[in-house]
Amino acid sequence: CESNPLMPFSSPQICSSDTLSDDVEVTLPISNFADDLSLRIQMASNFDHGIDCASHNADWSLCYSQLFVFEYAGNEAYTDNNFAIYFSSIHRLLHVDHPDFEHGHVVGDLTYIKPTASFKGFEPSSEIILPVVFEYWSVQESDKMPRFFVVDSRDDSTAVIPNTDTEDLHDFVIPYTSSMKTEGDNNVPMTAENRYTRNEKLSEGFETDTSTRIIPTPFRVDISETAQSFGIVGVSLINADLLGKLQSGAEELVSTITMKTASDRDHVLILTIGTLPNDIAGTESYTMEITAEGTTITASHEEGLFYGVMSFLGLLDTSSSRSTMPVKEMTIYDKPRFDYRGHQIDSARNFRTKESVMQTIDAMALYKLNNLHFGLSNDEGWRLEIPGMEELTTVGSRRCFDLSEETCILTQLGSGPDASDEPQFYSVADFVEILKYAAARNVKVAPEFNMPGHARAAVVSMEARAKKKRDNSYRLMDPEDETELLTVQFYDRSSIINPCLDSSVRFVVKLVDEVVKMYAEAQLGLDVWQFGGDEAKNILLGAGYSAYDLPKELPFSKSPACIKKMQEDPTISIDTDAANYWALKVNQILAQKGIREMMAWEDGLNGMMKEEFEIAEVTVNFWSTLFWGGTDVLVEASKTGFGVIMANPDYLYFDFPYEVHPEERGYYWGTRENSVAKVFSFAPENLPQNAETSVDRDGNAMDITTPDWPAPVIKGMQGQTWSETVRTEAQHQEMTYPRVLAVAERAWHRGSWELDWTPTQNYHGTTALVPKDQLATDFKGFNTVLGCREVNKIWQRLGIAYRVPPPGAIIEGGILIANTELPCTRIQYSLDRGMNWSEYFTPVDVGVGKYVSLKSLSADGGLESRVVNVDQEECLSCQGVCESNPLMPFSSPQICSSDTLSDDVEVTFPILANSVPTSSPTASKVPIPEGDRCTFCEFGIPDLTVLPPKAGGQTCGDVKESSVSHINGDELCDIIQSVESICCPEPAPPCTFCLGGIPDLALQPPKAGGETCGQVRQQAAAYSNGDSLCNTIQSEESTCCPSEPADHCTFCEEGIPDLTVVIPEAGGQTCGEIRQSTAGHVNGDGICNAIQSVERQCCPGPADLCVFCKGGIPDLTVVIPEAGGQTCGEIKQSSASFITGDETCNIIQSVERKCCMHMASNLADDLSLRIQMASNFDHGIDCASHNADWSLCYSQLFVFEYAGNEAYTDNN
């Protein structure tokens, strides 16, 4: 069957060589079905939706509604119900409101929808709309994960739905029109207008001189009134050997930042070891005296010398167009605020390459961050090779769709059904290289292997080992444990290491031994171990689920191994304190291996004291939010004797959005925004103070009273880039930078505006205790250096693609006024929806009522912000959002409402050829009448002197005058409409050039005065309708663009393509490759345009000869729009002398069906035949009853396939 070019059939058929068997079915691969599917997700409402969330067991009765719209583009009905559609959902899917579909949860975020027994299938070119209900709320489009995939339940084969295989979420997520989470949500969504106001406050009076400020700010800087500025070309290090192990790192960073060879380095940095003033004495402290003759850096230790060099590099403006870099004479006395200044990378959820990690280490060194918290394991992945436990990477580093989980862990976080071709882990050699690289830049690496919770990748890997090798030595799950639970991220008990198994202890011993060896190979000691410890619990025990009949079992409460252990020692309660119990076990192992410090997330050590641990030092990462009682939790943590590192989500999590806007990426459970300004304003040593300078996650003022307790001792602080929604390197860089520079500033330098911890002091949004004028001045200086110098440095020198913030803008009396959060950032604006961009320098007249788009750019133009629109950032009306959205409207009427599942607003897909843009900001398309009334060039300017042949000798002016009183159906009206194209050849309202087509720029059209199409195109941008030049431009479009694209993306619908032909215009692709890429594209899409422009080269002749209704009788009065408004009669007259390949002939053939509804050729064109041999004998047929010679006969199958989109019922 599979080798037969005629087989398999598109529906189940007999496939037997000798018998008429009915038990063998052949089906098309699931990829055929998936290729014909597309998905659009429409947000409905977070509240006021009338859904009884409690009936679906929603936490705290919170749920939201959406529409999943599956469009099926197949030409034949798809009735096979042996499939399911799997996808990642960060919120639990609670309900599918459709009788033909049901849903289920696999593990983690992996969810599916599948047909029920009542499913009748997808009709040809149809869609199915599924109203769905999820838990909690959704206000960020990044809640929706990509790569939905179809699974064939018969063999578990998979295929991704093409338009979801993307990182551009708008390919399948309709832009959200509301950012309100609940009725009590007081967060202010960012628009161009209110962003302008905010930016104005941030940048008002910002410094323009960046020559004397460094990020992070030094402890003290002395600048003489007579200090001179001078220029340097490069930097040479004198006595570089004093840097010791840091020498190579310092020299490499000097070379990277200055980009100068040794012969070009004209300014010397003289390094010396000496005694420092008492007020700055310390290992990482230094002094630096800068003069035109040279710079002297003095420190007591090599670390201080290293940071002195980094400070000098921090002064350099590498983006300067001048031949030298300006520096000013000054003396710097510097020391760090905290000994621990960290940054966390979550490489477990989504893998960061070795090169990316090293890039991060360079940035950390440059801005004096000295601790890398390296997340190497979690539920979703294990990222470090461990010799002797190979399954951790052969299984645990790979995500795919394998329900047995013997080859990989199940796909999560939108990674799709297929494992990556590239290794998603660090080999031993990779990790040793990272350790050496970090050590040379004064960065300590603390590996995190999260346990006992968030450990599913390890648990499943060891289960695969046990199954494959029958080796239980390192097994982490009790096979007899029947405990039912649900973790924070919707995993079952396989997410938590069972602490009662001896094999779990052996696993940790083996793990620690191997990691210690790696550090030794890098000639380093393993000083710090990050234990993790967080969220090892069953969330169904929470108060929000208390009213529901759900499994509410404590972890390991049904594990025979744990029951036995608790019976043996009644003083322990593993089920209630699994993390605490396991923390002590791991601590004992670490102490035996000589590891000095154990770190953990704060909740992993809840209720414990330092005295319980054998290890010398225990530190917690503090991650309670301020509005959830964080101050009280901090005080309790300080009482334990543990060191405290501030890792507050509501200020220091970089997987949260930069601003309140649905298009911003990230989670938002702790706050709706963590802007650069907010991170900068964080006061780590006086947590209550932050209540005055920020709001809670619902946008409300906080009221925090400082506990009556001494100030907690803070060891340090760090930023976190969790990666659940951060899948690519570009996304990682955008989410981390430039926010991490604000963390570096606060970790190294205490602002003058930071207040001391004062017991019983109250802070509120209305109090005025914080000197906000000092804070504003400090931030403006920081922000100026950040925007005008540092972001260019990390982009141009380190290759880090930082986030460029979108601009703010207002329009007053037609004057566009724009600004940006980041000084020295460029702004561009567009008046034609992004087709052409102009540089913004000063306020510019754009006209009243114009739709204006804006974007920000890096200084070199290499990075761009997302595009924003004045007055269009929030939904002004349902119609406006639907029509401006490239995914909307749907191909048949769909609901389009921002907050409700409304059924009274319908939007249908406009045909591009029959619509033109207008200047309205809320309605981008206006349909041209198609015979509804008598019109005359409604959207164009006619040449009134033209004498059209069909007007009976009248001019266009005469015809226009006669059109006023006539309605559709009148003979004169028909004449008027028939001559409009002659009087008004190109009537589009804006001056366009081949709206959707690809012009041949070298052509010289006759009406263009000798200019080429390229020259005409250049002139088109600035002209509007009515201008004579614009009319000329429009009149030449058909000449320049002979292959204007069709209304939808097609591929030789009427012809047979030669799939091997290579098309230069399509980037060297073959016709076959182009054909494959058509799925999911809509009119106007660039790829679609390219496809349409090359179809004729792939399909030179769509029919054998130019015919007109070969066997039928045409309705000669039908008007065919595609044929320039000709009637079928006129087309028929023109068909006689044409042969295949002629453009007119092609038009004729394309419209025959509309003119001739009943003809044999129509049916024949839609038919195909396959003949299947069955049997010559033993077929059970009575041949004699059919009068066969010598009673001999054989059997076959004639299979007629009908490809028509409509039923064919004519039996004539």
Side-chain angles (χ1 to χ4, degrees):
C1 291
E2 293 180 350
S3 63
N4 179 353
L6 292 179
M7 288 291 283
F9 299 118
S10 56
S11 57
Q13 294 301 334
I14 297 166
C15 180
S16 170
S17 61
D18 293 313
T19 61
L20 288 174
S21 169
D22 58 359
D23 59 358
V24 180
E25 291 190 349
V26 179
T27 57
L28 285 175
I30 200 67
S31 60
N32 286 28
F33 173 47
D35 286 347
D36 282 335
L37 278 183
S38 63
L39 167 67
R40 293 181 175 88
I41 299 176
Q42 170 76 50
M43 182 63 197
S45 181
N46 284 315
F47 54 91
D48 284 349
H49 40 50
I51 300 170
D52 181 4
C53 304
S55 68
H56 301 299
N57 298 334
D59 192 14
W60 294 111
S61 299
L62 295 170
C63 66
Y64 65 95
S65 55
Q66 290 186 326
L67 294 179
F68 280 14
V69 181
F70 290 97
E71 293 193 359
Y72 173 66
N75 291 327
E76 298 180 0
Y78 191 89
T79 58
D80 188 346
N81 66 355
N82 292 291
F83 72 89
I85 297 173
Y86 283 74
F87 58 98
S88 292
S89 176
I90 67 169
H91 299 130
R92 287 199 306 148
L93 177 57
L94 303 176
H95 180 61
V96 177
D97 191 13
H98 195 292
D100 294 345
F101 287 86
E102 59 187 357
H103 72 282
H105 173 241
V106 184
V107 71
D109 68 19
L110 187 58
T111 306
Y112 64 83
I113 294 171
K114 68 177 184 179
T116 63
S118 63
F119 175 69
K120 297 297 189 296
F122 283 93
E123 293 299 317
S125 301
S126 65
E127 62 187 24
I128 291 178
I129 305 170
L130 301 183
V132 291
V133 178
F134 291 93
E135 195 169 36
Y136 301 119
W137 42 65
S138 180
V139 294
Q140 305 299 139
E141 292 164 6
S142 60
D143 288 349
K144 303 295 106 175
M145 297 283 181
R147 284 171 276 281
F148 283 58
F149 59 96
V150 184
V151 176
D152 190 321
S153 59
R154 289 163 292 216
D155 59 4
D156 283 348
S157 59
T158 64
V160 177
I161 297 175
N163 77 310
T164 70
D165 191 9
T166 177
E167 286 301 326
D168 184 351
L169 296 180
H170 284 173
D171 285 348
F172 67 98
V173 179
I174 295 167
Y176 283 21
T177 60
S178 172
S179 60
M180 285 193 68
K181 190 175 65 172
T182 64
E183 290 178 293
D185 188 348
N186 290 313
N187 285 288
V188 179
M190 281 292 105
T191 65
E193 291 81 5
N194 60 27
R195 190 182 298 110
Y196 174 85
T197 302
R198 186 195 64 181
N199 291 346
E200 196 171 32
K201 292 178 181 178
L202 291 176
S203 61
E204 183 179 5
F206 72 81
E207 300 176 11
T208 56
D209 181 10
T210 64
S211 64
T212 61
R213 181 150 183 171
I214 302 170
I215 295 177
T217 302
F219 180 71
R220 185 170 71 251
V221 179
D222 292 343
I223 303 176
S224 168
E225 292 182 2
T226 60
Q228 301 293 313
S229 294
F230 57 94
I232 70 169
V233 174
V235 176
S236 294
L237 300 181
I238 306 300
N239 302 327
D241 59 315
L242 294 177
L243 287 162
K245 66 179 183 296
L246 304 177
Q247 180 177 352
S248 63
E251 290 177 338
E252 288 169 11
L253 282 168
V254 167
S255 177
T256 297
I257 298 303
T258 64
M259 296 187 68
K260 299 296 180 183
T261 61
S263 60
D264 293 329
R265 297 171 184 171
D266 61 335
H267 189 81
V268 295
L269 301 187
I270 304 168
L271 310 182
T272 64
I273 295 292
T275 302
L276 298 175
N278 290 335
D279 63 341
I280 66 166
T283 301
E284 295 178 316
S285 305
Y286 67 93
T287 63
M288 180 161 59
E289 185 179 3
I290 302 173
T291 69
E293 291 72 29
T295 295
T296 301
I297 299 173
T298 302
S300 59
H301 295 78
E302 59 193 35
E303 292 86 354
L305 291 177
F306 180 83
Y307 285 137
V309 175
M310 295 305 103
S311 286
F312 190 86
L313 295 178
L315 285 168
L316 301 182
D317 184 357
T318 59
S319 63
S320 174
S321 59
R322 292 174 287 186
S323 59
T324 61
M325 294 175 284
V327 180
K328 193 168 187 176
E329 294 179 332
M330 69 185 80
T331 302
I332 295 174
Y333 303 87
D334 204 5
K335 69 173 183 177
R337 175 185 194 170
F338 296 129
D339 289 338
Y340 184 101
R341 305 175 303 281
H343 178 62
Q344 179 256 21
I345 294 177
D346 174 15
S347 197
R349 265 59 177 267
N350 281 300
F351 182 65
R352 302 276 75 85
T353 65
K354 178 184 70 175
E355 293 73 21
S356 172
V357 175
M358 290 177 169
Q359 194 178 48
T360 296
I361 292 169
D362 278 340
M364 291 177 66
L366 197 60
Y367 299 104
K368 305 184 179 71
L369 296 172
N370 61 358
N371 281 271
L372 175 62
H373 176 163
F374 201 0
L376 293 169
S377 76
N378 217 292
D379 291 314
E380 296 82 9
W382 183 282
R383 304 303 180 189
L384 180 61
E385 176 189 10
I386 303 298
M389 294 193 293
E390 289 76 13
E391 292 79 10
L392 289 171
T393 47
T394 60
V395 176
S397 75
R398 304 175 74 249
R399 292 203 295 255
C400 70
F401 186 74
D402 173 8
L403 292 173
S404 72
E405 294 191 292
E406 295 180 15
T407 62
C408 63
I409 59 175
L410 276 167
T411 180
Q412 299 286 312
L413 303 175
S415 57
D418 302 315
S420 171
D421 293 332
E422 298 296 324
Q424 300 292 291
F425 66 93
Y426 309 106
S427 67
V428 171
D430 289 337
F431 190 63
V432 170
E433 185 178 355
I434 289 170
L435 293 176
K436 290 179 177 179
Y437 196 85
R441 288 155 178 77
N442 199 43
V443 175
K444 297 177 182 178
V445 178
E448 178 181 356
F449 301 97
N450 209 331
M451 55 182 67
H454 288 295
R456 191 171 189 276
V459 173
V460 170
S461 297
M462 294 301 97
E463 286 298 295
R465 178 189 182 96
K467 186 181 297 185
K468 181 179 180 180
K469 297 181 178 179
R470 302 187 182 280
D471 178 3
N472 296 330
S473 301
Y474 304 121
R475 199 168 191 178
L476 303 175
M477 187 164 67
D478 182 351
E480 298 179 19
D481 186 2
E482 296 180 352
T483 306
E484 292 187 58
L485 57 82
L486 193 68
T487 70
V488 173
Q489 292 176 326
F490 314 136
Y491 293 99
D492 56 20
R493 64 180 178 275
S494 64
S495 171
I496 309 177
I497 292 175
N498 190 305
C500 306
L501 302 175
D502 292 339
S503 52
S504 295
V505 176
R506 281 193 297 271
F507 174 87
V508 176
V509 171
K510 172 68 171 174
L511 173 63
V512 175
D513 283 343
E514 294 300 330
V515 177
V516 167
K517 290 178 186 177
M518 296 180 207
Y519 275 76
E521 186 177 342
Q523 298 181 328
L524 298 168
L526 176 54
D527 295 328
V528 182
W529 185 276
Q530 172 49 266
F531 165 73
D534 59 312
E535 298 182 327
K537 61 184 180 182
N538 180 4
I539 64 169
L540 299 180
L541 293 169
Y545 295 103
S546 60
Y548 309 140
D549 183 18
L550 296 170
K552 296 174 182 176
E553 300 171 355
L554 291 165
F556 313 116
S557 58
K558 292 184 178 179
S559 164
C562 286
I563 292 171
K564 179 181 178 182
K565 192 169 288 291
M566 287 187 286
Q567 289 173 343
E568 293 172 349
D569 186 355
T571 64
I572 62 174
S573 53
I574 295 170
D575 49 359
T576 57
D577 295 310
N580 289 181
Y581 176 83
W582 192 237
L584 291 175
K585 281 289 184 185
V586 172
N587 179 263
Q588 292 170 0
I589 296 169
L590 298 178
Q592 293 166 6
K593 304 298 179 182
I595 295 172
R596 177 180 58 81
E597 182 180 3
M598 174 176 170
M599 298 176 69
W601 294 101
E602 138 224 332
D603 58 321
L605 305 185
N606 272 349
M608 306 184 77
M609 300 294 290
K610 170 67 175 64
E611 292 74 20
E612 300 177 62
F613 291 81
E614 295 182 20
I615 208 163
E617 191 172 349
V618 180
T619 302
V620 294
N621 294 101
F622 179 81
W623 67 291
S624 290
T625 58
L626 181 56
F627 67 89
W628 265 337
T631 301
D632 294 328
V633 177
L634 177 62
V635 167
E636 292 304 311
S638 71
K639 295 177 182 178
T640 62
F642 301 146
V644 176
I645 294 170
M646 302 301 279
N648 307 57
D650 35 351
Y651 301 92
L652 301 175
Y653 271 28
F654 299 158
D655 63 318
F656 287 3
Y658 276 89
E659 66 177 22
V660 181
H661 192 283
E663 290 185 39
E664 292 289 328
R665 181 177 302 280
Y667 282 176
Y668 44 89
W669 57 264
T671 183
R672 292 293 296 280
E673 68 163 328
N674 272 339
S675 65
V676 174
K678 184 180 178 185
V679 177
F680 179 90
S681 69
F682 178 58
E685 293 180 284
N686 186 16
L687 194 57
Q689 169 180 332
N690 299 287
E692 187 177 310
T693 57
S694 57
V695 297
D696 70 11
R697 72 171 182 179
D698 292 324
N700 300 316
M702 291 181 278
D703 189 339
I704 306 293
T705 298
T706 309
D708 190 8
W709 188 263
V713 177
I714 305 303
K715 180 177 180 178
M717 62 185 290
Q718 71 178 30
Q720 283 73 217
T721 307
W722 298 105
S723 66
E724 285 97 327
T725 67
V726 181
R727 289 174 290 276
T728 69
E729 297 296 343
Q731 292 166 3
H732 172 75
Q733 292 179 356
E734 184 178 78
M735 296 298 280
T736 305
Y737 303 92
R739 288 190 281 203
V740 71
L741 275 71
V743 171
E745 175 72 12
R746 283 287 67 77
W748 184 271
H749 177 75
R750 174 170 171 157
S752 62
W753 42 269
E754 293 188 59
L755 305 178
D756 290 336
W757 176 284
T758 304
T760 73
Q761 179 65 63
N762 177 261
Y763 294 90
H764 186 270
T766 60
T767 56
L769 301 170
V770 179
K772 297 184 184 64
D773 55 342
Q774 294 181 34
L775 170 57
T777 300
D778 194 15
F779 178 72
K780 288 168 186 174
F782 168 86
N783 203 36
T784 301
V785 175
L786 182 68
C788 296
R789 195 177 67 202
E790 295 310 307
V791 291
N792 295 318
K793 190 178 295 178
I794 64 173
W795 165 231
Q796 295 173 351
R797 295 298 191 260
L798 301 184
I800 292 171
Y802 68 95
R803 177 199 186 245
V804 180
I810 57 174
I811 297 178
E812 295 181 343
I815 304 299
L816 172 68
I817 309 172
N819 62 15
T820 178
E821 171 188 330
L822 208 53
C824 300
T825 298
R826 292 165 53 190
I827 299 175
Q828 291 183 349
Y829 67 95
S830 171
L831 303 181
D832 55 11
R833 298 179 182 268
M835 292 178 64
N836 298 281
W837 292 93
S838 301
E839 203 78 15
Y840 176 90
F841 298 105
T842 58
V844 59
D845 189 350
V846 296
V848 178
K850 290 293 182 67
Y851 185 101
V852 181
S853 304
L854 300 102
K855 63 182 177 182
S856 303
L857 300 90
S858 60
D860 65 355
L863 300 174
E864 296 183 358
S865 74
R866 56 183 171 84
V867 175
V868 299
N869 306 303
V870 181
D871 289 326
Q872 290 294 307
E873 292 236 76
E874 290 298 315
C875 181
L876 297 182
S877 70
C878 176
Q879 179 186 20
V881 169
C882 292
E883 294 183 348
S884 64
N885 177 352
L887 290 180
M888 286 289 286
F890 298 119
S891 58
S892 61
Q894 292 303 329
I895 296 166
C896 179
S897 171
S898 62
D899 290 315
T900 59
L901 287 173
S902 168
D903 58 2
D904 58 358
V905 181
E906 291 190 348
V907 182
T908 55
F909 197 91
I911 302 300
L912 181 64
N914 296 331
S915 62
V916 295
T918 76
S919 60
S920 167
T922 59
S924 61
K925 304 284 185 185
V926 176
I928 294 178
E930 294 182 329
D932 294 331
R933 65 182 186 276
C934 191
T935 64
F936 190 91
C937 305
E938 277 197 357
F939 296 91
I941 299 176
D943 182 348
L944 303 182
T945 64
V946 171
L947 284 165
K950 296 182 182 178
Q954 296 182 101
T955 66
C956 289
D958 297 330
V959 175
K960 187 177 186 183
E961 287 181 346
S962 65
S963 69
V964 177
S965 61
H966 293 286
I967 58 173
N968 187 46
D970 184 285
E971 183 177 356
L972 181 57
C973 189
D974 293 343
I975 293 174
I976 290 165
Q977 293 169 331
S978 70
V979 301
E980 283 180 353
S981 62
I982 297 174
C983 299
C984 315
E986 294 290 342
C991 190
T992 63
F993 192 89
C994 308
L995 268 175
I998 300 176
D1000 182 347
L1001 301 183
L1003 288 177
Q1004 287 186 306
K1007 296 182 183 178
E1011 293 184 296
T1012 65
C1013 292
Q1015 292 166 323
V1016 174
R1017 190 183 198 189
Q1018 287 178 336
Q1019 297 174 44
Y1023 291 97
S1024 61
N1025 186 49
D1027 185 287
S1028 59
L1029 180 56
C1030 189
N1031 293 342
T1032 300
I1033 290 166
Q1034 293 168 335
S1035 70
E1036 297 304 325
E1037 287 179 351
S1038 61
T1039 306
C1040 298
C1041 312
S1043 298
E1044 190 74 5
D1047 295 331
H1048 52 93
C1049 191
T1050 63
F1051 192 90
C1052 308
E1053 280 193 342
E1054 303 295 333
I1056 301 174
D1058 181 349
L1059 301 183
T1060 63
V1061 172
V1062 176
I1063 307 302
E1065 298 92 326
Q1069 295 185 100
T1070 64
C1071 295
E1073 291 169 327
I1074 296 168
R1075 190 180 198 185
Q1076 287 179 336
S1077 67
T1078 63
H1081 293 287
V1082 294
N1083 186 51
D1085 184 283
I1087 296 177
C1088 192
N1089 292 344
I1091 291 165
Q1092 293 166 337
S1093 70
V1094 302
E1095 284 181 351
R1096 290 190 183 174
Q1097 296 179 57
C1098 300
C1099 315
D1104 294 330
L1105 71 164
C1106 189
V1107 300
F1108 192 88
C1109 308
K1110 185 162 61 175
I1113 300 175
D1115 180 348
L1116 302 182
T1117 64
V1118 174
V1119 176
I1120 307 301
E1122 298 94 322
Q1126 294 184 99
T1127 65
C1128 292
E1130 291 168 324
I1131 296 170
K1132 186 175 185 183
Q1133 288 178 337
S1134 66
S1135 69
S1137 62
F1138 292 103
I1139 58 172
T1140 187
D1142 184 283
E1143 184 175 355
T1144 303
C1145 190
N1146 292 343
I1147 293 173
I1148 291 166
Q1149 293 166 336
S1150 70
V1151 301
E1152 285 176 355
R1153 290 190 183 174
K1154 295 182 180 180
C1155 300
C1156 314
M1157 297 307 294
H1158 303 287
M1159 60 185 198
S1161 62
N1162 277 9
L1163 173 60
D1165 287 346
D1166 281 334
L1167 282 181
S1168 62
L1169 167 66
R1170 294 182 176 84
I1171 299 175
Q1172 170 74 47
M1173 183 62 195
S1175 179
N1176 284 315
F1177 54 92
D1178 286 346
H1179 40 51
I1181 299 171
D1182 182 5
C1183 303
S1185 68
H1186 301 296
N1187 301 327
D1189 191 17
W1190 294 108
S1191 299
L1192 295 171
C1193 65
Y1194 65 93
S1195 58
Q1196 288 185 330
L1197 294 178
F1198 278 28
V1199 181
F1200 290 95
E1201 293 195 356
Y1202 173 66
N1205 291 326
E1206 299 177 0
Y1208 192 91
T1209 57
D1210 188 344
N1211 65 355
N1212 291 293

